[in-house]
Amino acid sequence: MAVERENLLRVTRIYAEDAALELERGREIVARWPDADIVPIASHWQIPEVHGDETNVARWVRIKTEALVLGVKKSVATRVNGRSADFIAPSLSNGCAMACAYCYVPRRKGYSNPITVFANIDQTTRHLARHIAARGPKTEPNQCDPDAWVYDIGENGDCSVDALISENVRDVCDLFRMTPTAKASFATKFVNRDLLEWDPAGRTRIRFSLMPAGTARVTDLRTSPMAERIAAINDFVDAGFEVHVNFSPVILTPTWLADWSELFDQLDAALHPRAKAQLACEVIFLTHNGGLHEVNLGWHPKGEELLWTPSVQEEKRSQNGAVNVRYRHPLKAQSVATLTELIARKLPYCRVRYAF
């Protein structure tokens, strides 16, 4: 994966908390980029030259490529979810080297959000082991999984990319490999074939995010091409991963339904019987944000032609209090029904875990 890492990450500056450099994982990461400048910081949340400065809009992708942040996660806690997973595990990282135009993570830091890796991985794995043990076996099936407690380990980043930087993701997946009552889960838009050597024994669920390729070329910047993501599914199933797909975000372009129909045909033709037998999906329609829209206009206005369509969107207040925009209720309800019917017809073996 040396070429792939070089394409995404050419790290020249590592912003590091002292506490992170004192930990073994922090020192390992620094050793991967021996020529990078080490910039001391007091907090991974407060780096003015990286995020929070509107002049950084023009350097959005450059910052993601050249900057890496090392921190210590202060609050190591697991939250109840119940949608994609039973629980949200403590984040192993925050931010991403990729640059999807609709990504919600930059809204929290502003203007650019390179990867922050948390070096206190041992604290995280100990916490997870205790949490899993306290749950005991799962006695009632739910839409997350019929038998295992599912923990999303990549809420604020992309674990496939994070695995290019450190062993954090592998350490957590190895923990779940030895845990018969629980599974790790993460969504990804990057095909990291190094993971095929991990032998996860069915205890890690990878959710490849898919959308029509033409739309992805405009909105999913610096990610693996859609054909590569689809082609990887069989290999990851054969390597012992459970592989689901995320049809997300669904963006209502003028040709959206025909484009998704073509994608489903491509997926059906590519998957072997074992992959089809274990397949399930999530369907998530686009949620956007006015602040992110303004930022995007400064670095990637072409994406906003697809994402910002006020004539068919309305405001929505999210659970955390943020005001976002989504497709207007009647249009969205009809579109959800139409797309799930199309999935049932084109991919009858693919269980829809939820759609909204």
Side-chain angles (χ1 to χ4, degrees), residues 84-164:
S84 180
D86 294 292
F87 303 103
I88 304 296
S91 296
L92 310 179
S93 68
N94 183 292
C96 188
M98 297 182 288
C100 297
Y102 46 78
C103 181
Y104 71 90
V105 175
R107 301 175 198 168
R108 300 181 181 179
K109 289 188 175 180
Y111 299 106
S112 187
N113 194 21
I115 296 173
T116 296
V117 180
F118 298 124
N120 52 326
I121 184 63
D122 290 345
Q123 185 180 359
T124 296
T125 54
R126 288 194 301 268
H127 162 84
L128 282 171
R130 291 192 300 268
H131 195 278
I132 294 166
R135 301 287 77 73
K138 190 176 201 176
T139 58
E140 295 184 11
N142 61 15
Q143 63 90 14
C144 299
D145 194 86
D147 304 307
W149 298 110
V150 180
Y151 289 73
D152 192 315
I153 65 171
E155 180 186 33
N156 292 316
D158 190 302
C159 289
S160 295
V161 177
D162 291 350
L164 298 174

Side-chain angles (χ1 to χ4, degrees), residues 45-57 60 63 106 108-113:
W45 280 104
Q46 299 174 7
I47 313 173
E49 66 187 88
V50 173
H51 38 64
D53 182 355
E54 64 183 16
T55 62
N56 280 331
V57 170
W60 184 275
I63 289 173
R108 300 181 181 179
K109 289 188 175 180
Y111 299 106
S112 187
N113 194 21

Side-chain angles (χ1 to χ4, degrees), residues 101-335:
Y102 46 78
C103 181
Y104 71 90
V105 175
R107 301 175 198 168
R108 300 181 181 179
K109 289 188 175 180
Y111 299 106
S112 187
N113 194 21
I115 296 173
T116 296
V117 180
F118 298 124
N120 52 326
I121 184 63
D122 290 345
Q123 185 180 359
T124 296
T125 54
R126 288 194 301 268
H127 162 84
L128 282 171
R130 291 192 300 268
H131 195 278
I132 294 166
R135 301 287 77 73
K138 190 176 201 176
T139 58
E140 295 184 11
N142 61 15
Q143 63 90 14
C144 299
D145 194 86
D147 304 307
W149 298 110
V150 180
Y151 289 73
D152 192 315
I153 65 171
E155 180 186 33
N156 292 316
D158 190 302
C159 289
S160 295
V161 177
D162 291 350
L164 298 174
I165 299 170
S166 81
E167 297 298 314
N168 277 7
V169 180
R170 183 163 191 173
D171 286 349
V172 172
C173 290
D174 283 348
L175 168 67
F176 282 92
R177 183 182 185 276
M178 299 180 288
T179 308
T181 61
K183 290 178 182 177
S185 177
F186 63 87
T188 185
K189 298 174 186 176
F190 181 73
V191 178
N192 182 346
R193 290 187 168 271
D194 288 348
L195 275 59
L196 296 173
E197 305 300 322
W198 286 10
D199 188 21
R203 310 315 298 175
T204 293
R205 172 187 295 167
I206 291 184
R207 303 171 349 253
F208 281 106
S209 294
L210 304 179
M211 67 162 62
T215 303
R217 281 192 288 270
V218 178
T219 63
D220 279 29
L221 306 187
R222 312 188 85 216
T223 65
S224 295
M226 209 55 53
E228 185 178 347
R229 300 184 211 177
I230 293 172
I233 293 175
N234 290 342
D235 294 336
F236 276 81
V237 170
D238 291 343
F241 289 90
E242 182 180 41
V243 182
H244 288 185
V245 289
N246 286 359
F247 297 134
S248 71
V250 180
I251 301 169
L252 298 184
T253 68
T255 59
W256 75 276
L257 194 57
D259 294 342
W260 279 96
S261 180
E262 181 181 356
L263 175 70
F264 296 155
D265 287 341
Q266 293 168 350
L267 185 61
D268 181 63
L271 298 185
H272 61 35
R274 287 186 58 240
K276 291 179 178 180
Q278 55 88 69
L279 194 68
C281 72
E282 303 167 7
V283 180
I284 306 171
F285 277 66
L286 174 70
T287 297
H288 201 23
N289 175 275
L292 184 59
H293 167 65
E294 293 299 324
V295 171
N296 285 349
L297 289 176
W299 77 279
H300 186 49
K302 186 174 179 60
E304 290 305 295
E305 295 174 10
L306 299 182
L307 301 176
W308 191 256
T309 52
S311 64
V312 295
Q313 291 172 323
E314 63 185 7
E315 286 191 352
K316 170 201 174 185
R317 186 170 294 277
S318 67
Q319 292 178 344
N320 63 11
V323 177
N324 299 319
V325 295
R326 65 180 177 188
Y327 295 117
R328 292 180 181 175
H329 178 70
L331 171 63
K332 181 176 177 180
Q334 180 56 53
S335 299

